[in-house]
Amino acid sequence: MASGTFDILHMGHVHYLKEAKKLGDHLTVVVASDNTVRKLKHQPINPQHIRVQLISELKAVDTALLGSDADDIYTILDDIKPDIIALGYDQIHQEETLTKELDKRGYPNIKIIRLSEYQAGNDLDGTRRIIQKIIAAHDFQKKMEQIEGH
Amino acid sequence: MASGTFDILHMGHVHYLKEAKKLGDHLTVVVASDNTVRKLKHQPINPQHIRVQLISELKAVDTALLGSDADDIYTILDDIKPDIIALGYDQIHQEETLTKELDKRGYPNIKIIRLSEYQAGNDLDGTRRIIQKIIAAHDFQKKMEQIEGH
């Protein structure tokens, strides 16, 4: 099982999902609901059903489904019954806390595996960097219009 | 064979490639080089090798490769030898001119098929709309900062 927002798809996402797929034979991806994204990060650019659809079109992904709006991440485990939870290199979950909670809630056998970062040199891979590049191009264009006229 | 820039991946792209795949048994996608994109559209957000990699990760795609920097689209046909060229609903090629040119250049048997538009209601699917949404959110934030202070 892997999880995330997957708003503007980039190679960091794909790397995470490919690495997660290598850990087992069926990869289920939980895509965070719009409510969850708004609560944790920001207003998503793409709505949840589009984010689920796009993820389900990737070769590495066997099943993509929408996460619950519930506050905790444990409610979905009964449906998925994963053997392994794959964490992205920068996902905020603490392995230790997660292991303890899984144990407490009756999932002592779920393994948690933290995956490596996508090594792309200076490539533009993160959503935030893509957004920054779009905004920088926009600001530059505005300045040029002020200098050159419309 | 399908082709495009595929800068910020959206459901319109995926729809086009899935429909193209249905026309045959092997889908080769030609991804426009950075030089070609700059010439025809604008500076791409994602560099060409990233755009090729992302496209190759889609279930519908068998082979993704980088287009040539040459001005005409015919140089790549000798390598690919496609049975069918699938055109996206909004791609600027004229079927009639294309057919005549293919005939003239010794490819009389390549079929050209124009595909349908992705029907997504009011969903945000096009790259341009994604960029507009990012810029609108940025401008709104700037205005709020002026009103509320940083």
Side-chain angles (χ1 to χ4, degrees):
Chain A
M1 177 185 129
S3 62
T5 302
F6 307 109
D7 198 351
I8 292 177
L9 212 62
H10 56 68
M11 280 309 297
H13 294 141
V14 173
H15 170 79
Y16 165 48
L17 297 176
K18 284 175 83 170
E19 291 297 302
K21 170 73 179 182
K22 284 182 196 162
L23 301 173
D25 45 33
H26 187 101
L27 175 60
T28 298
V29 182
V30 180
V31 177
S33 72
D34 287 346
N35 281 336
T36 301
V37 178
R38 272 189 286 264
K39 214 153 35 184
L40 294 178
K41 291 174 145 184
H42 49 72
Q43 178 68 24
I45 304 288
N46 287 296
Q48 57 193 22
H49 71 281
I50 293 285
R51 292 185 283 111
V52 172
Q53 265 187 63
L54 258 177
I55 285 299
S56 74
E57 297 296 342
L58 292 173
K59 283 172 184 160
V61 177
D62 297 295
T63 311
L65 48 85
L66 191 62
S68 87
D69 283 346
D71 275 328
D72 76 64
I73 60 165
Y74 304 100
T75 44
I76 209 157
L77 296 179
D78 269 338
D79 297 329
I80 301 180
K81 302 195 200 324
D83 298 308
I84 298 167
I85 295 176
L87 297 180
Y89 82 97
D90 63 346
Q91 283 184 321
I92 45 167
H93 307 291
Q94 306 271 349
E95 282 96 321
E96 215 178 308
T97 320
L98 216 51
T99 307
K100 270 188 205 158
E101 283 295 318
L102 287 172
D103 210 33
K104 212 197 287 179
R105 287 156 194 265
Y107 306 103
N109 297 321
I110 299 180
K111 269 191 221 134
I112 296 169
I113 297 181
R114 174 76 67 176
L115 296 173
S116 67
E117 185 173 1
Y118 173 59
Q119 295 299 338
N122 290 320
D123 283 333
L124 186 80
D125 54 286
T127 307
R128 207 161 291 135
R129 270 177 282 173
I130 292 175
I131 289 176
Q132 278 164 0
K133 196 160 172 182
I134 291 171
I135 289 169
H138 172 68
D139 286 349
F140 178 73
Q141 201 187 340
K142 288 272 162 205
K143 272 178 200 145
M144 283 306 285
E145 281 173 3
Q146 280 171 7
I147 293 168
E148 296 182 336
H150 281 64
Chain B
M1 176 184 129
S3 62
T5 302
F6 308 110
D7 198 351
I8 292 176
L9 213 61
H10 56 69
M11 280 310 295
H13 295 140
V14 173
H15 170 79
Y16 165 48
L17 297 175
K18 283 175 83 170
E19 290 298 301
K21 170 73 179 181
K22 283 181 197 163
L23 300 173
D25 44 35
H26 187 101
L27 176 61
T28 299
V29 182
V30 180
V31 177
S33 73
D34 288 346
N35 281 336
T36 301
V37 178
R38 272 189 287 265
K39 214 152 35 182
L40 294 178
K41 290 173 143 185
H42 49 72
Q43 177 68 25
I45 303 290
N46 288 295
Q48 56 193 23
H49 71 281
I50 293 284
R51 291 184 284 110
V52 173
Q53 265 187 64
L54 258 177
I55 286 298
S56 74
E57 297 297 342
L58 292 173
K59 283 171 185 161
V61 177
D62 298 294
T63 311
L65 48 85
L66 192 61
S68 86
D69 283 346
D71 274 328
D72 76 66
I73 59 165
Y74 304 99
T75 44
I76 210 156
L77 296 180
D78 269 337
D79 297 330
I80 300 180
K81 301 195 200 325
D83 298 308
I84 297 167
I85 296 176
L87 298 180
Y89 81 99
D90 64 345
Q91 283 184 320
I92 46 167
H93 307 293
Q94 306 271 349
E95 281 96 323
E96 216 178 309
T97 319
L98 216 51
T99 307
K100 271 187 204 156
E101 283 294 319
L102 287 173
D103 210 32
K104 212 197 288 179
R105 287 156 193 266
Y107 306 103
N109 297 321
I110 299 181
K111 270 192 221 129
I112 295 168
I113 297 181
R114 173 76 67 177
L115 296 173
S116 67
E117 185 173 1
Y118 174 59
Q119 295 300 338
N122 291 319
D123 283 334
L124 185 80
D125 54 287
T127 307
R128 207 160 291 135
R129 271 177 282 174
I130 291 174
I131 289 177
Q132 278 164 358
K133 195 160 172 181
I134 291 170
I135 289 169
H138 173 68
D139 286 349
F140 178 73
Q141 200 186 341
K142 288 272 161 204
K143 271 179 201 146
M144 282 307 285
E145 281 173 4
Q146 280 171 6
I147 294 168
E148 296 182 336
H150 282 64

mmCIF file of all heavy atoms in Angstrom, chain B residues 72-104:
data_model
loop_
_atom_site.group_PDB
_atom_site.id
_atom_site.type_symbol
_atom_site.label_atom_id
_atom_site.label_comp_id
_atom_site.label_asym_id
_atom_site.label_seq_id
_atom_site.Cartn_x
_atom_site.Cartn_y
_atom_site.Cartn_z
ATOM 1 N N ASP B 72 10.235 18.925 -39.930
ATOM 2 C CA ASP B 72 9.050 18.210 -40.372
ATOM 3 C C ASP B 72 8.831 16.935 -39.561
ATOM 4 O O ASP B 72 9.735 16.425 -38.910
ATOM 5 C CB ASP B 72 9.090 17.930 -41.886
ATOM 6 C CG ASP B 72 10.012 16.802 -42.259
ATOM 7 O OD1 ASP B 72 9.725 15.665 -41.876
ATOM 8 O OD2 ASP B 72 11.023 17.079 -42.924
ATOM 9 N N ILE B 73 7.604 16.488 -39.585
ATOM 10 C CA ILE B 73 7.205 15.365 -38.742
ATOM 11 C C ILE B 73 7.435 14.028 -39.446
ATOM 12 O O ILE B 73 7.151 12.977 -38.882
ATOM 13 C CB ILE B 73 5.706 15.460 -38.387
ATOM 14 C CG1 ILE B 73 4.848 15.463 -39.672
ATOM 15 C CG2 ILE B 73 5.413 16.715 -37.578
ATOM 16 C CD1 ILE B 73 3.384 15.202 -39.424
ATOM 17 N N TYR B 74 7.982 14.057 -40.656
ATOM 18 C CA TYR B 74 8.052 12.840 -41.450
ATOM 19 C C TYR B 74 9.340 12.047 -41.225
ATOM 20 O O TYR B 74 9.387 10.854 -41.477
ATOM 21 C CB TYR B 74 7.876 13.173 -42.937
ATOM 22 C CG TYR B 74 6.587 13.924 -43.190
ATOM 23 C CD1 TYR B 74 6.577 15.306 -43.332
ATOM 24 C CD2 TYR B 74 5.371 13.244 -43.223
ATOM 25 C CE1 TYR B 74 5.388 15.992 -43.517
ATOM 26 C CE2 TYR B 74 4.181 13.926 -43.412
ATOM 27 C CZ TYR B 74 4.206 15.306 -43.556
ATOM 28 O OH TYR B 74 3.027 15.976 -43.727
ATOM 29 N N THR B 75 10.384 12.750 -40.721
ATOM 30 C CA THR B 75 11.679 12.078 -40.536
ATOM 31 C C THR B 75 11.585 10.882 -39.592
ATOM 32 O O THR B 75 12.318 9.918 -39.741
ATOM 33 C CB THR B 75 12.731 13.065 -39.976
ATOM 34 O OG1 THR B 75 12.129 13.817 -38.940
ATOM 35 C CG2 THR B 75 13.226 14.001 -41.049
ATOM 36 N N ILE B 76 10.685 10.945 -38.627
ATOM 37 C CA ILE B 76 10.618 9.890 -37.610
ATOM 38 C C ILE B 76 9.850 8.654 -38.103
ATOM 39 O O ILE B 76 9.953 7.571 -37.511
ATOM 40 C CB ILE B 76 10.004 10.459 -36.298
ATOM 41 C CG1 ILE B 76 10.582 9.706 -35.096
ATOM 42 C CG2 ILE B 76 8.481 10.427 -36.318
ATOM 43 C CD1 ILE B 76 10.528 10.489 -33.814
ATOM 44 N N LEU B 77 9.121 8.791 -39.194
ATOM 45 C CA LEU B 77 8.259 7.688 -39.652
ATOM 46 C C LEU B 77 9.058 6.473 -40.123
ATOM 47 O O LEU B 77 8.607 5.339 -39.973
ATOM 48 C CB LEU B 77 7.329 8.172 -40.761
ATOM 49 C CG LEU B 77 6.322 9.245 -40.336
ATOM 50 C CD1 LEU B 77 5.462 9.650 -41.522
ATOM 51 C CD2 LEU B 77 5.444 8.771 -39.190
ATOM 52 N N ASP B 78 10.258 6.714 -40.663
ATOM 53 C CA ASP B 78 11.093 5.595 -41.098
ATOM 54 C C ASP B 78 11.493 4.705 -39.923
ATOM 55 O O ASP B 78 11.646 3.494 -40.079
ATOM 56 C CB ASP B 78 12.362 6.115 -41.798
ATOM 57 C CG ASP B 78 12.140 6.266 -43.302
ATOM 58 O OD1 ASP B 78 11.233 5.602 -43.830
ATOM 59 O OD2 ASP B 78 12.871 7.054 -43.927
ATOM 60 N N ASP B 79 11.687 5.325 -38.761
ATOM 61 C CA ASP B 79 12.043 4.548 -37.567
ATOM 62 C C ASP B 79 10.833 3.803 -37.015
ATOM 63 O O ASP B 79 10.938 2.658 -36.592
ATOM 64 C CB ASP B 79 12.575 5.480 -36.462
ATOM 65 C CG ASP B 79 13.857 6.183 -36.903
ATOM 66 O OD1 ASP B 79 14.596 5.589 -37.712
ATOM 67 O OD2 ASP B 79 14.109 7.319 -36.446
ATOM 68 N N ILE B 80 9.711 4.469 -36.984
ATOM 69 C CA ILE B 80 8.536 3.902 -36.297
ATOM 70 C C ILE B 80 7.707 3.011 -37.224
ATOM 71 O O ILE B 80 7.158 2.009 -36.786
ATOM 72 C CB ILE B 80 7.651 5.041 -35.716
ATOM 73 C CG1 ILE B 80 8.472 5.875 -34.717
ATOM 74 C CG2 ILE B 80 6.407 4.478 -35.052
ATOM 75 C CD1 ILE B 80 7.722 7.011 -34.095
ATOM 76 N N LYS B 81 7.626 3.378 -38.477
ATOM 77 C CA LYS B 81 6.790 2.657 -39.436
ATOM 78 C C LYS B 81 5.391 2.365 -38.869
ATOM 79 O O LYS B 81 5.003 1.197 -38.742
ATOM 80 C CB LYS B 81 7.457 1.337 -39.860
ATOM 81 C CG LYS B 81 8.837 1.508 -40.496
ATOM 82 C CD LYS B 81 9.263 0.228 -41.209
ATOM 83 C CE LYS B 81 10.765 0.141 -41.453
ATOM 84 N NZ LYS B 81 11.465 1.390 -41.756
ATOM 85 N N PRO B 82 4.655 3.391 -38.538
ATOM 86 C CA PRO B 82 3.338 3.164 -37.932
ATOM 87 C C PRO B 82 2.295 2.716 -38.972
ATOM 88 O O PRO B 82 2.420 3.063 -40.151
ATOM 89 C CB PRO B 82 2.963 4.549 -37.387
ATOM 90 C CG PRO B 82 3.644 5.497 -38.312
ATOM 91 C CD PRO B 82 4.934 4.826 -38.714
ATOM 92 N N ASP B 83 1.326 1.933 -38.531
ATOM 93 C CA ASP B 83 0.174 1.618 -39.381
ATOM 94 C C ASP B 83 -0.835 2.759 -39.326
ATOM 95 O O ASP B 83 -1.546 3.032 -40.278
ATOM 96 C CB ASP B 83 -0.494 0.324 -38.905
ATOM 97 C CG ASP B 83 0.453 -0.860 -39.005
ATOM 98 O OD1 ASP B 83 1.013 -1.062 -40.099
ATOM 99 O OD2 ASP B 83 0.641 -1.553 -38.000
ATOM 100 N N ILE B 84 -0.883 3.379 -38.156
ATOM 101 C CA ILE B 84 -1.888 4.425 -37.917
ATOM 102 C C ILE B 84 -1.225 5.593 -37.197
ATOM 103 O O ILE B 84 -0.420 5.383 -36.280
ATOM 104 C CB ILE B 84 -3.025 3.872 -37.009
ATOM 105 C CG1 ILE B 84 -3.756 2.722 -37.724
ATOM 106 C CG2 ILE B 84 -4.004 4.975 -36.606
ATOM 107 C CD1 ILE B 84 -4.658 1.918 -36.791
ATOM 108 N N ILE B 85 -1.578 6.808 -37.616
ATOM 109 C CA ILE B 85 -1.213 8.000 -36.840
ATOM 110 C C ILE B 85 -2.490 8.499 -36.173
ATOM 111 O O ILE B 85 -3.465 8.833 -36.846
ATOM 112 C CB ILE B 85 -0.610 9.102 -37.732
ATOM 113 C CG1 ILE B 85 0.719 8.622 -38.341
ATOM 114 C CG2 ILE B 85 -0.394 10.392 -36.939
ATOM 115 C CD1 ILE B 85 1.357 9.615 -39.315
ATOM 116 N N ALA B 86 -2.490 8.518 -34.843
ATOM 117 C CA ALA B 86 -3.658 8.985 -34.092
ATOM 118 C C ALA B 86 -3.468 10.454 -33.752
ATOM 119 O O ALA B 86 -2.460 10.829 -33.150
ATOM 120 C CB ALA B 86 -3.819 8.164 -32.816
ATOM 121 N N LEU B 87 -4.429 11.267 -34.160
ATOM 122 C CA LEU B 87 -4.362 12.704 -33.862
ATOM 123 C C LEU B 87 -5.298 13.038 -32.710
ATOM 124 O O LEU B 87 -6.439 12.572 -32.678
ATOM 125 C CB LEU B 87 -4.777 13.524 -35.088
ATOM 126 C CG LEU B 87 -3.924 13.396 -36.350
ATOM 127 C CD1 LEU B 87 -4.499 14.299 -37.452
ATOM 128 C CD2 LEU B 87 -2.468 13.765 -36.079
ATOM 129 N N GLY B 88 -4.826 13.844 -31.788
ATOM 130 C CA GLY B 88 -5.681 14.346 -30.714
ATOM 131 C C GLY B 88 -6.724 15.288 -31.298
ATOM 132 O O GLY B 88 -6.520 15.857 -32.372
ATOM 133 N N TYR B 89 -7.837 15.439 -30.578
ATOM 134 C CA TYR B 89 -8.959 16.217 -31.124
ATOM 135 C C TYR B 89 -8.568 17.646 -31.472
ATOM 136 O O TYR B 89 -9.129 18.253 -32.376
ATOM 137 C CB TYR B 89 -10.138 16.220 -30.131
ATOM 138 C CG TYR B 89 -9.988 17.239 -29.024
ATOM 139 C CD1 TYR B 89 -10.632 18.470 -29.086
ATOM 140 C CD2 TYR B 89 -9.156 16.989 -27.939
ATOM 141 C CE1 TYR B 89 -10.464 19.412 -28.098
ATOM 142 C CE2 TYR B 89 -8.990 17.910 -26.945
ATOM 143 C CZ TYR B 89 -9.644 19.124 -27.020
ATOM 144 O OH TYR B 89 -9.460 20.045 -26.053
ATOM 145 N N ASP B 90 -7.579 18.196 -30.741
ATOM 146 C CA ASP B 90 -7.216 19.608 -30.967
ATOM 147 C C ASP B 90 -5.833 19.767 -31.595
ATOM 148 O O ASP B 90 -5.293 20.864 -31.626
ATOM 149 C CB ASP B 90 -7.291 20.378 -29.644
ATOM 150 C CG ASP B 90 -6.264 19.862 -28.636
ATOM 151 O OD1 ASP B 90 -5.708 18.755 -28.855
ATOM 152 O OD2 ASP B 90 -6.027 20.555 -27.624
ATOM 153 N N GLN B 91 -5.246 18.677 -32.076
ATOM 154 C CA GLN B 91 -3.922 18.830 -32.707
ATOM 155 C C GLN B 91 -4.062 19.513 -34.065
ATOM 156 O O GLN B 91 -5.000 19.242 -34.815
ATOM 157 C CB GLN B 91 -3.228 17.470 -32.822
ATOM 158 C CG GLN B 91 -2.661 17.032 -31.462
ATOM 159 C CD GLN B 91 -1.878 15.743 -31.545
ATOM 160 O OE1 GLN B 91 -2.264 14.824 -32.240
ATOM 161 N NE2 GLN B 91 -0.785 15.669 -30.807
ATOM 162 N N ILE B 92 -3.118 20.402 -34.339
ATOM 163 C CA ILE B 92 -3.313 21.332 -35.447
ATOM 164 C C ILE B 92 -3.131 20.719 -36.830
ATOM 165 O O ILE B 92 -3.475 21.336 -37.816
ATOM 166 C CB ILE B 92 -2.363 22.557 -35.331
ATOM 167 C CG1 ILE B 92 -0.945 22.071 -34.990
ATOM 168 C CG2 ILE B 92 -2.865 23.547 -34.291
ATOM 169 C CD1 ILE B 92 0.118 23.109 -35.142
ATOM 170 N N HIS B 93 -2.603 19.484 -36.891
ATOM 171 C CA HIS B 93 -2.410 18.886 -38.220
ATOM 172 C C HIS B 93 -3.729 18.790 -38.991
ATOM 173 O O HIS B 93 -4.761 18.464 -38.438
ATOM 174 C CB HIS B 93 -1.831 17.475 -38.082
ATOM 175 C CG HIS B 93 -0.594 17.418 -37.260
ATOM 176 N ND1 HIS B 93 0.591 17.981 -37.658
ATOM 177 C CD2 HIS B 93 -0.363 16.886 -36.036
ATOM 178 C CE1 HIS B 93 1.503 17.780 -36.723
ATOM 179 N NE2 HIS B 93 0.951 17.128 -35.726
ATOM 180 N N GLN B 94 -3.648 19.049 -40.294
ATOM 181 C CA GLN B 94 -4.795 18.893 -41.189
ATOM 182 C C GLN B 94 -4.742 17.488 -41.762
ATOM 183 O O GLN B 94 -3.767 17.143 -42.434
ATOM 184 C CB GLN B 94 -4.695 19.885 -42.348
ATOM 185 C CG GLN B 94 -4.536 21.333 -41.939
ATOM 186 C CD GLN B 94 -5.873 22.003 -41.755
ATOM 187 O OE1 GLN B 94 -6.895 21.435 -42.129
ATOM 188 N NE2 GLN B 94 -5.868 23.196 -41.179
ATOM 189 N N GLU B 95 -5.764 16.711 -41.575
ATOM 190 C CA GLU B 95 -5.774 15.327 -42.066
ATOM 191 C C GLU B 95 -5.473 15.259 -43.568
ATOM 192 O O GLU B 95 -4.717 14.406 -44.024
ATOM 193 C CB GLU B 95 -7.138 14.648 -41.827
ATOM 194 C CG GLU B 95 -7.363 14.166 -40.409
ATOM 195 C CD GLU B 95 -8.141 15.168 -39.588
ATOM 196 O OE1 GLU B 95 -7.925 16.393 -39.777
ATOM 197 O OE2 GLU B 95 -8.966 14.751 -38.761
ATOM 198 N N GLU B 96 -6.091 16.185 -44.326
ATOM 199 C CA GLU B 96 -5.980 16.120 -45.787
ATOM 200 C C GLU B 96 -4.545 16.369 -46.249
ATOM 201 O O GLU B 96 -3.990 15.605 -47.044
ATOM 202 C CB GLU B 96 -6.921 17.156 -46.407
ATOM 203 C CG GLU B 96 -7.559 16.711 -47.701
ATOM 204 C CD GLU B 96 -8.514 17.785 -48.211
ATOM 205 O OE1 GLU B 96 -9.380 18.236 -47.426
ATOM 206 O OE2 GLU B 96 -8.370 18.191 -49.383
ATOM 207 N N THR B 97 -3.928 17.432 -45.744
ATOM 208 C CA THR B 97 -2.540 17.748 -46.086
ATOM 209 C C THR B 97 -1.627 16.604 -45.674
ATOM 210 O O THR B 97 -0.731 16.196 -46.416
ATOM 211 C CB THR B 97 -2.095 19.041 -45.341
ATOM 212 O OG1 THR B 97 -3.162 19.970 -45.373
ATOM 213 C CG2 THR B 97 -0.854 19.631 -45.958
ATOM 214 N N LEU B 98 -1.861 16.100 -44.482
ATOM 215 C CA LEU B 98 -1.051 15.018 -43.938
ATOM 216 C C LEU B 98 -1.127 13.789 -44.839
ATOM 217 O O LEU B 98 -0.105 13.182 -45.188
ATOM 218 C CB LEU B 98 -1.570 14.682 -42.528
ATOM 219 C CG LEU B 98 -0.561 14.281 -41.445
ATOM 220 C CD1 LEU B 98 0.589 15.268 -41.341
ATOM 221 C CD2 LEU B 98 -1.257 14.166 -40.097
ATOM 222 N N THR B 99 -2.338 13.433 -45.249
ATOM 223 C CA THR B 99 -2.523 12.266 -46.121
ATOM 224 C C THR B 99 -1.779 12.446 -47.433
ATOM 225 O O THR B 99 -1.071 11.551 -47.892
ATOM 226 C CB THR B 99 -4.033 12.062 -46.411
ATOM 227 O OG1 THR B 99 -4.725 12.013 -45.161
ATOM 228 C CG2 THR B 99 -4.270 10.764 -47.160
ATOM 229 N N LYS B 100 -1.912 13.628 -48.027
ATOM 230 C CA LYS B 100 -1.222 13.920 -49.294
ATOM 231 C C LYS B 100 0.287 13.819 -49.136
ATOM 232 O O LYS B 100 0.982 13.236 -49.968
ATOM 233 C CB LYS B 100 -1.580 15.338 -49.773
ATOM 234 C CG LYS B 100 -2.815 15.386 -50.654
ATOM 235 C CD LYS B 100 -2.993 16.790 -51.232
ATOM 236 C CE LYS B 100 -4.454 17.025 -51.588
ATOM 237 N NZ LYS B 100 -4.790 18.465 -51.612
ATOM 238 N N GLU B 101 0.809 14.404 -48.057
ATOM 239 C CA GLU B 101 2.257 14.406 -47.831
ATOM 240 C C GLU B 101 2.772 12.991 -47.598
ATOM 241 O O GLU B 101 3.841 12.623 -48.071
ATOM 242 C CB GLU B 101 2.608 15.291 -46.629
ATOM 243 C CG GLU B 101 2.576 16.785 -46.924
ATOM 244 C CD GLU B 101 3.665 17.202 -47.922
ATOM 245 O OE1 GLU B 101 4.806 16.711 -47.816
ATOM 246 O OE2 GLU B 101 3.367 18.017 -48.821
ATOM 247 N N LEU B 102 2.017 12.197 -46.832
ATOM 248 C CA LEU B 102 2.417 10.814 -46.552
ATOM 249 C C LEU B 102 2.476 10.025 -47.857
ATOM 250 O O LEU B 102 3.393 9.232 -48.077
ATOM 251 C CB LEU B 102 1.437 10.158 -45.578
ATOM 252 C CG LEU B 102 1.512 10.633 -44.122
ATOM 253 C CD1 LEU B 102 0.369 10.035 -43.298
ATOM 254 C CD2 LEU B 102 2.852 10.257 -43.481
ATOM 255 N N ASP B 103 1.509 10.254 -48.710
ATOM 256 C CA ASP B 103 1.435 9.603 -50.015
ATOM 257 C C ASP B 103 2.665 9.971 -50.842
ATOM 258 O O ASP B 103 3.347 9.113 -51.400
ATOM 259 C CB ASP B 103 0.153 10.085 -50.711
ATOM 260 C CG ASP B 103 -0.399 9.014 -51.634
ATOM 261 O OD1 ASP B 103 -0.231 7.816 -51.311
ATOM 262 O OD2 ASP B 103 -0.983 9.371 -52.668
ATOM 263 N N LYS B 104 2.945 11.274 -50.892
ATOM 264 C CA LYS B 104 4.054 11.799 -51.671
ATOM 265 C C LYS B 104 5.405 11.248 -51.189
ATOM 266 O O LYS B 104 6.314 11.002 -51.960
ATOM 267 C CB LYS B 104 4.051 13.335 -51.530
ATOM 268 C CG LYS B 104 4.560 14.085 -52.763
ATOM 269 C CD LYS B 104 4.935 15.521 -52.440
ATOM 270 C CE LYS B 104 3.703 16.390 -52.187
ATOM 271 N NZ LYS B 104 4.101 17.788 -51.838
#
